[in-house]
Amino acid sequence: MAARRAKIPATKYPVERFTLDNGLRVVLTPDRSAPVIGVAVVYDVGIRSEPEGRTGFAHLFEHLMFQGSENLEKLAHFRHVQGAGGTFNGSTHLDYTDYFETLPSNALERALFLEADRMRGPRLTEENLRNQVDVVKEEIRVNVLNRPYGGFPWLTLPPVMFDTFPNAHDGYGSFGDLESATVADAADFFRRYYASGNAVLAVSGDIDVAEATELIERHFGDVPARPAPERPDFAEPDLVAERRASYTDKLAPLPAVAGAWRVPDPVTDFVGYLPYVVLAEVLTDGDASRLVERLVQRDRSVTSLGGYLGFMGDPFDVRDPTALLLQAHLPPGGDVDKVLRTIDEELDRLATDGLTEGELARTQARMATHLLRDTDAVLGRALRMAVLEQQRGEPGLLNELPRLVGEVTEEQVRAAAATLRPERRASIEVIAGGAR
């Protein structure tokens, strides 16, 4: 008997789209239920865009965008946002970099001015560059070098799975590459990638569409027009033989392992991709999931387990090539080979025997809940719509995602599981060097 699917309705957030003469794409999604707004600017540049010899540059440049701009001194962005009762941040991903604010709705023009000013040009000085190189190096020390399992697996697994520099290199960057960066490099990076034609602005929340449109045209309309650069093809062939690697983490108290399999293109083959998103949750989401029940509860061969799409855990914010990842921490003396064999057994069992009654519907309902929660806040909605516009030209897909997840069938999930063969897997093992 076929597994019952969850019946999940679509959301109905309104979407208004237009493009300024300078190429900036704009997405507005009004919601007058609370006097708050989310503003997000997404640039089509990320870790995969970095040139060889400049590892970590996309993330370094994100830091530089907060060090003053054409008409604002250093730290002014912080003062103006926080002075209005707002919060702000930015983040660097494989395929994009975003900058965002949450503010009271009466501070909309302030947020638009701030983002437009740094789109015209950040303050790229030797002092700012050297200062931020030091900040990024300290971030690497804290998050990677001096932390157990630092960079596992998002930095350590790609070089096992991929062969080309854009897909395989360390997105945090080497100290040597960061220290050799110049102001001229930063200026060239800005001219190439931080063009109005390479960006999307999204505003969500308590806005009047006509008023917001007028303010956007006022502040962004005179940003100099520069076209988006041609995006390289980052495609790589799939694996035909298993790849494995290991390293000793001197701080890790327990062994760990992560495995990954390539999945269909998230943009051009979205229908083929979605079953893998559901499959990852069937396998690992909650105590009743397949692998948690088997590996954690029954066999006790791992102490924790997780699964997700995309090396940075962003299933709907990533382009091809990407992967489904499973990662686990093992008890002292744990057997990594046994864990991988058990995963293979469970994948074979799912592909052959199918899902149990209620298993798919339960998983889809949880996924829909997470999707709805993530976009309930105005900033989450603005960020998701900005990326969907950037990568797909379809911000309204946000409304359809919960329903589309609920329409994935058991047959599709079983077929996806059947493709996760050992010969298509790349895995990285962490040998515990911090155990006593």
Side-chain angles (χ1 to χ4, degrees), residues 57-70:
F57 207 88
H59 176 232
L60 172 62
F61 200 87
E62 175 214 319
H63 280 245
L64 290 172
M65 287 285 279
F66 288 96
Q67 303 306 303
S69 54
E70 186 170 278

Side-chain angles (χ1 to χ4, degrees), residues 66 75-89 100-104 107 110-111 114:
F66 288 96
L75 302 182
H77 192 107
F78 298 59
R79 187 175 68 254
H80 285 298
V81 174
Q82 293 173 336
T87 60
F88 66 94
N89 212 332
F100 47 88
E101 297 87 17
T102 303
L103 287 155
R110 179 179 301 211
L114 293 170

Side-chain angles (χ1 to χ4, degrees), residues 108-292:
L108 171 61
E109 186 166 14
R110 179 179 301 211
L112 296 176
F113 165 75
L114 293 170
E115 290 296 350
D117 202 59
R118 63 177 166 187
M119 187 179 286
R120 291 187 185 90
R123 293 201 176 193
L124 302 177
T125 67
E126 185 67 24
E127 178 189 0
N128 284 344
L129 177 61
R130 299 275 70 88
N131 173 267
Q132 291 309 302
V133 166
D134 288 341
V135 170
V136 170
K137 287 168 60 180
E138 184 60 21
E139 188 175 328
I140 294 170
R141 292 186 187 100
V142 171
N143 292 337
V144 180
L145 300 180
N146 296 317
R147 172 179 291 186
Y149 313 103
F152 169 79
W154 77 277
L155 293 178
T156 56
L157 188 50
V160 182
M161 169 163 269
F162 297 116
D163 296 319
T164 64
F165 174 83
N167 297 319
H169 77 277
D170 179 349
Y172 247 143
S174 71
F175 282 10
D177 283 355
L178 291 168
E179 289 165 353
S180 64
T182 67
V183 173
D185 292 332
D188 181 67
F189 196 82
F190 175 79
R191 283 192 299 268
R192 180 172 177 79
Y193 294 111
Y194 278 72
S196 53
N198 205 38
V200 174
L201 165 68
V203 183
S204 174
D206 184 23
I207 58 171
D208 175 84
V209 170
E211 179 185 356
T213 300
E214 191 275 328
L215 289 172
I216 289 166
E217 290 175 342
R218 180 191 308 170
H219 289 284
F220 287 89
D222 63 351
V223 174
R226 300 198 313 278
E230 184 176 347
R231 188 174 183 275
D233 181 4
F234 297 130
E236 287 194 36
D238 197 0
L239 300 185
V240 294
E242 183 179 12
R243 294 183 180 181
R244 293 185 63 172
S246 63
Y247 66 98
T248 298
D249 184 335
K250 64 181 181 180
L251 300 176
L254 298 172
V257 65
W261 298 258
R262 291 280 299 278
V263 296
D265 189 316
V267 177
T268 64
D269 187 13
F270 192 54
V271 172
Y273 174 78
L274 266 181
Y276 290 86
V277 182
V278 177
L279 172 61
E281 302 300 312
V282 168
L283 293 173
T284 65
D285 186 31
D287 291 343
S289 61
R290 291 284 176 122
L291 293 182
V292 172

Side-chain angles (χ1 to χ4, degrees), residues 251-432:
L251 300 176
L254 298 172
V257 65
W261 298 258
R262 291 280 299 278
V263 296
D265 189 316
V267 177
T268 64
D269 187 13
F270 192 54
V271 172
Y273 174 78
L274 266 181
Y276 290 86
V277 182
V278 177
L279 172 61
E281 302 300 312
V282 168
L283 293 173
T284 65
D285 186 31
D287 291 343
S289 61
R290 291 284 176 122
L291 293 182
V292 172
E293 192 279 330
R294 173 73 188 274
L295 290 165
V296 178
Q297 297 176 353
R298 192 195 319 172
D299 295 355
R300 303 199 175 192
S301 56
V302 308
T303 58
S304 64
L305 182 77
Y308 47 93
L309 272 289
F311 287 90
M312 301 180 79
D314 44 7
F316 303 117
D317 299 352
V318 68
R319 292 184 173 119
D320 192 65
T322 189
L324 183 152
L325 283 80
L326 299 174
Q327 67 180 75
H329 291 80
L330 284 66
D335 187 339
V336 166
D337 290 335
K338 180 182 178 182
V339 170
L340 293 176
R341 285 196 305 271
T342 304
I343 290 172
D344 293 336
E345 290 173 12
E346 288 299 315
L347 289 169
D348 286 343
R349 188 165 71 88
L350 195 159
T352 303
D353 300 338
L355 290 88
T356 60
E357 176 64 26
E359 185 177 10
L360 180 59
R362 178 182 68 243
T363 301
Q364 290 169 320
R366 287 169 67 110
M367 293 177 70
T369 298
H370 295 156
L371 286 168
L372 293 169
R373 180 191 62 202
D374 290 345
T375 56
D376 183 57
V378 291
L379 180 59
R381 211 173 307 156
L383 284 166
R384 177 62 55 81
M385 284 196 177
V387 177
L388 290 173
E389 170 64 38
Q390 178 214 61
Q391 296 183 353
R392 304 164 184 269
E394 196 177 355
L397 183 62
L398 176 143
N399 285 319
E400 302 298 323
L401 284 175
R403 178 183 61 80
L404 292 171
V405 163
E407 290 178 353
V408 171
T409 67
E410 177 187 7
E411 291 72 23
Q412 290 175 304
V413 175
R414 292 175 63 178
T419 70
L420 304 190
R421 307 299 305 160
E423 61 270 18
R424 296 185 58 245
R425 179 174 60 216
S427 61
I428 185 76
E429 176 184 354
V430 178
I431 300 169

